[in-house]
Amino acid sequence: MKFLGNVLATIIGIFVFFMLFFFGIILIGMLFGGESETTEIKNNSVIELNLEDIKNDYAGKYKDPWVTVFSDKKRIGLTDIINAIDEAKTDENIKGISILNSNSSLGMAQSKALRDALEGFKKSGKFVMAYANSFSQKEYYLNSVASPIYLNPIGDLDFKGLSSEIMFFKDLQEKSGVKMEVIRHGKYKSAVEPFLENEMSDANREQTFALLHSIWNSVASDISKSRNIPIEQLDKIANGLLARTPEMAKAQHLIDIIAYEDVYHAAIKKALKVDPSEEYNKITILEYAQNAATTSKISEGSDEIAIIYAQGEIQSGEGDVNIIGEGSMRRSLQEARKNDDVKAIVLRIDSPGGNALTSDLIWREIELTKKVKPVVVSMGNYAASGGYYIACNASKIFAENNTITGSIGVFGVLPNFTSLATKIGIHTEQVKTHENAADYSPFVPLDEKFKAVTLESVEHIYRTFVSHVATGRKMTFEQVDAIAQGRVWTGTDALKIGLVDKIGGLDDAIKEAAILAKTKDYSTQNYPEYEKNFNDLLANLPFAKSKESFIKEEIGIENYKILEQIKRIQSQKGIQALMPFEINIQ
C-alpha cells in the first residue's frame, strides 16, 4: 500500500511539474515577446472594421501578470478602436475603411461615438465603404456613414423605428405562489412595475415613449445628414416599411448599389488602383488598433489626464471590465488623486446603476478627489440611477445625445415564497427574543413593521441621492425631485433640464478636463488596473466556461439572456439605485 502511495505521489508530482513548466514557458514568452508584437501595415491598405469582439469602451488591464497573459491577448476596447481610426487619418499606408457585414454588441451611444470617428476619417479624404448581406436597424445606423453602401440582391434592410418590450409577472406570481415584495420611491421607478401590475403604467409609458422618440430623433438626424434625406421622409419610410427590400431601399436612397460581395471588393480594388486579378492589402481594425497602441507617439510633457472607466452594474467587491466594483474604483480615484503628474480625471461611465451603498462610496471618493483636481464625467450608453449617482458631483458632465441617464430613484425587492410553500406543504414559524430580532424570511408573510422600516431606509437613500444631485448640479431639492422620481432621460433632454452640461463624447470630455487643469501638453492614462488572483484566472479558462457554452447552445442566446437577468435579480442585495428597466433598442 505504501508503494502505491509513493507511485501516486510521484505521478502527481510529475504532473504538477509539467503544468508549472508549461504555464511558466507561456508566461515568460508572453511577458517578453507578446507586448511588442505588431502587424506589418502594407502600403495601399484598407482597414476592415470587424467589431464582433468589441463590447466595452475599456478592455481592462491587470496587476497580476498571469491574469494579463491569459486574458484577451490584444485587450482592445472601443476607445482603442476610435483612437486607431483617428490615427489612420494621417497614416499614409491606409487608404480607406471597409465595413463588411458588420455585427456588433455596441450600444446606441457607442455606435454614435464610432460613427463620429468614421465621419472624421472621411474628412481626411479617405473612403469609407460598406457592404452587407442584410442590415439590422442598429447596424444600418452605423453603416449609413459610408459611401457607397452596398446591399446583397437577396438581402433586406430593417428600418421601422424604435420599440421596447416589457414583460409583466403579476398573474404569474399569484398562480405560482412566488411574490416579489416591492418597496420603492419614485413613480417612474418601473424596474419593479412588472411585479406589481399586468400592464404598463401611464407614467412608465410616458417616459418610455419620450425616451424612444428622443433617441430616434438623434439617429434620424445623423442618417439624414449622411444620406441627404429629410427627417420627415425617414419617418415615412419607417412608418410604411418602404425600405424592406434592396430595390425599395435603393429607391429611398438608403443604399447606393445592389450587388454581391465580389462586386464590392472589385470596387475597392478600383478605388485603390489595384489590378482586378490581384488581392488588395487588408488589416483588421483589431490588428491596427494594437499597432496604434504600441507604436503611437506619447506626449513629451509630464502632465497626465487619468481616464477611469466605470462599466457595468455597480456592485460591492473588486469589480472587473463588466462590473463597477468599489475596490477598483476607489483605488483608481485615490491613485489618480495622489499622483502629482495627473492634472485632471475623466470618469467614463457606462452603467445602469446597482447597489446604492457602493454608489455612495464611489460618490464620496469623487467628492474628495474633486477638491484636489478637476473630475469630468463622460457618459456612454448609460449613466442612469447609480450610474448618475456617481456622476452628479463632477466638475463637468458630458453625454451623447442618445445616452440614457437620470433615473434618480431607489427601490428594494424581496422575494417571498410563503404562498408557494403553503401549497406544497411547507410551514414556517419563528421564535425570537425581541420583536424585531428576526431577519427577513422569504417563507413568512412580510411583516408590516419590517416593510415600514425598509421603506424608511429607501426614503432616506432617495433624499440623500436627490440632495447629492442638487448640490452637484447647483439646483434646489425641489427642482431635482421634480425631474427625479426614477424617470429616465436621454442626453438631449438631460441637457435641457440641467442634469448634464454639454453634449459630446469622450474626446470632448478629455479636452474639457485639460482646459480645467490648464494643461495643453498631456498624455492619457487608463484606469482601473484590476486586482485578480489565480482563482479568477482559472475561472476564465476555456474548461471553466464550458458550462456557459453548453447552456447557450442548448437553450439559445436569447433564452440565456433571460436566465442571466433572473440570476442578476436574485443576486441583488440591499437597496438598489438601478435603471427602471432593461432596454434593448433595435
Side-chain angles (χ1 to χ4, degrees):
M1 185 65 70
K2 185 177 180 180
F3 172 75
L4 291 176
N6 290 335
V7 171
L8 180 61
T10 302
I11 293 172
I12 293 173
I14 293 172
F15 175 77
V16 171
F17 170 77
F18 278 109
M19 288 295 291
L20 291 174
F21 179 78
F22 172 74
F23 284 121
I25 291 296
I26 293 177
L27 177 62
I28 293 170
M30 293 293 288
L31 289 179
F32 291 98
E35 291 302 318
S36 61
E37 181 181 327
T38 59
T39 302
E40 180 186 0
I41 304 174
K42 298 178 181 178
N43 184 38
N44 212 29
S45 290
V46 173
I47 294 175
E48 289 190 335
L49 194 70
N50 186 336
L51 304 168
E52 193 171 0
D53 296 327
I54 303 298
K55 177 183 176 183
N56 296 316
D57 292 328
Y58 176 52
K61 55 183 177 179
Y62 305 92
K63 290 190 174 181
D64 190 330
W66 281 100
V67 181
T68 299
V69 167
F70 288 97
S71 64
D72 178 17
K73 182 179 177 182
K74 293 188 179 299
R75 295 183 296 281
I76 298 298
L78 182 63
T79 301
D80 302 305
I81 298 295
I82 291 173
N83 290 340
I85 292 173
D86 185 61
E87 183 89 8
K89 289 191 296 187
T90 56
D91 187 338
E92 60 183 16
N93 290 322
I94 299 299
K95 305 302 180 184
I97 293 177
S98 169
I99 313 176
L100 180 61
N101 285 317
S102 60
N103 183 27
S104 75
S105 301
L106 301 179
M108 296 302 291
Q110 289 175 311
S111 296
K112 165 68 173 172
L114 180 58
R115 201 178 182 283
D116 288 346
L118 291 170
E119 284 280 13
F121 179 84
K122 282 172 59 180
K123 290 178 181 177
S124 69
K126 301 180 180 183
F127 67 79
V128 177
M129 295 172 61
Y131 172 91
N133 289 326
S134 178
F135 280 119
S136 70
Q137 191 162 239
K138 186 182 75 170
E139 296 304 334
Y140 178 75
Y141 170 58
L142 177 63
N143 280 256
S144 64
V145 73
S147 179
I149 301 175
Y150 287 70
L151 180 59
N152 186 290
I154 312 299
D156 56 46
L157 193 156
D158 187 22
F159 196 82
K160 58 189 178 185
L162 306 179
S163 66
S164 177
E165 183 178 275
I166 301 174
M167 298 177 69
F168 294 84
F169 308 104
K170 182 180 179 182
D171 283 353
L172 176 63
Q173 293 177 97
E174 294 175 357
K175 291 177 181 178
S176 66
V178 178
K179 183 181 180 183
M180 304 300 286
E181 298 286 0
V182 173
I183 304 169
R184 64 172 174 171
H185 183 110
K187 65 180 181 179
Y188 293 100
K189 204 67 187 175
S190 46
V192 294
E193 188 175 89
F195 304 119
L196 302 174
E197 306 292 341
N198 283 324
E199 59 184 16
M200 192 178 291
S201 66
D202 290 340
N204 193 9
R205 186 174 295 278
E206 174 194 351
Q207 73 163 348
T208 305
F209 184 82
L211 182 77
L212 292 175
H213 267 268
S214 182
I215 294 174
W216 173 256
N217 288 338
S218 175
V219 167
S221 177
D222 286 341
I223 295 174
S224 174
K225 291 175 184 175
S226 293
R227 300 300 301 171
N228 196 26
I229 304 173
I231 293 177
E232 296 79 9
Q233 181 60 26
L234 291 174
D235 288 332
K236 289 180 181 178
I237 295 170
N239 275 325
L241 301 178
L242 302 180
R244 59 186 182 273
T245 68
E247 292 76 18
M248 296 172 75
K250 184 177 180 182
Q252 296 295 340
H253 306 293
L254 291 182
I255 67 168
D256 300 295
I257 300 170
I258 302 171
Y260 289 101
E261 188 178 330
D262 58 289
V263 178
Y264 171 74
H265 289 297
I268 293 179
K269 291 179 183 179
K270 185 176 180 180
L272 296 173
K273 298 179 181 178
V274 171
D275 188 284
S277 62
E278 297 178 0
E279 292 296 321
Y280 62 90
N281 297 326
K282 310 169 191 173
I283 183 170
T284 70
I285 189 61
L286 294 181
E287 291 171 332
Y288 190 81
Q290 179 70 10
N291 275 31
T294 56
T295 62
S296 58
K297 296 179 181 178
I298 299 175
S299 167
E300 294 180 358
S302 60
D303 290 352
E304 293 181 1
I305 292 178
I307 306 175
I308 302 177
Y309 291 87
Q311 303 173 154
E313 285 193 17
I314 300 172
Q315 299 179 15
S316 59
E318 169 65 13
D320 56 31
V321 292
N322 297 307
I323 296 172
I324 301 171
E326 169 199 345
S328 58
M329 289 301 299
R330 294 181 69 188
R331 185 175 63 252
S332 297
L333 286 161
Q334 289 168 9
E335 289 176 1
R337 182 170 75 234
K338 296 173 183 177
N339 187 340
D340 291 336
D341 290 338
V342 173
K343 305 304 179 184
I345 295 167
V346 174
L347 182 63
R348 173 67 172 183
I349 301 174
D350 190 356
S351 172
N355 186 279
L357 173 59
T358 304
S359 300
D360 192 71
L361 292 173
I362 296 172
W363 171 90
R364 176 59 180 170
E365 207 63 58
I366 294 170
E367 188 72 5
L368 294 174
T369 303
K370 192 178 67 170
K371 294 176 181 178
V372 178
K373 54 192 66 174
V375 179
V376 177
V377 160
S378 169
M379 295 180 172
N381 296 319
Y382 301 93
S385 206
Y388 188 77
Y389 198 123
I390 65 175
C392 68
N393 60 335
S395 309
K396 293 284 182 180
I397 300 177
F398 284 73
E400 297 281 12
N401 284 314
N402 43 22
T403 295
I404 296 175
T405 187
S407 190
I408 302 167
V410 186
F411 72 88
V413 178
L414 302 169
N416 194 283
F417 307 111
T418 305
S419 179
L420 174 62
T422 302
K423 287 180 183 179
I424 61 176
I426 297 175
H427 304 278
T428 304
E429 291 190 12
Q430 294 178 329
V431 179
K432 46 192 177 183
T433 60
H434 294 76
E435 184 178 352
N436 301 303
D439 291 329
Y440 172 76
S441 170
F443 296 102
V444 299
L446 180 64
D447 179 80
E448 288 302 316
K449 186 170 184 179
F450 177 88
K451 185 175 182 179
V453 171
T454 306
L455 178 60
E456 183 181 282
S457 179
V458 166
E459 293 288 349
H460 171 68
I461 293 175
Y462 177 77
R463 289 194 299 272
T464 302
F465 191 170
V466 172
S467 297
H468 285 340
V469 175
T471 302
R473 302 305 300 162
K474 296 179 174 56
M475 302 166 71
T476 66
F477 184 97
E478 292 72 23
Q479 286 174 321
V480 176
D481 188 44
I483 57 176
Q485 302 293 325
R487 177 161 181 170
V488 293
W489 308 87
T490 61
T492 300
D493 293 331
L495 178 65
K496 297 174 184 176
I497 59 177
L499 291 181
V500 306
D501 295 297
K502 295 180 180 180
I503 298 298
L506 179 58
D507 281 347
D508 298 303
I510 293 171
K511 291 174 184 176
E512 180 70 19
I515 292 171
L516 293 176
K518 298 179 181 178
T519 179
K520 294 182 179 180
D521 190 11
Y522 59 87
S523 60
T524 60
Q525 181 68 31
N526 291 337
Y527 295 80
E529 190 174 40
Y530 301 106
E531 292 184 346
K532 294 290 183 180
N533 57 33
F534 193 70
N535 289 332
D536 299 316
L537 167 65
L538 291 178
N540 287 325
L541 289 176
F543 62 78
K545 288 189 173 182
S546 58
K547 181 177 73 171
E548 175 185 330
S549 301
F550 285 145
I551 294 173
K552 284 183 179 180
E553 184 176 345
E554 290 299 320
I555 68 175
I557 293 177
E558 292 303 320
N559 290 327
Y560 182 79
K561 289 179 179 178
I562 294 174
L563 180 63
E564 286 293 292
Q565 190 172 352
I566 293 171
K567 286 172 64 179
R568 283 201 303 272
I569 292 172
Q570 291 176 332
S571 68
Q572 289 169 359
K573 294 180 174 62
I575 296 171
Q576 301 291 308
L578 191 63
M579 246 194 70
F581 50 84
E582 182 170 319
I583 181 169
N584 292 311
I585 299 172
Q586 297 292 337

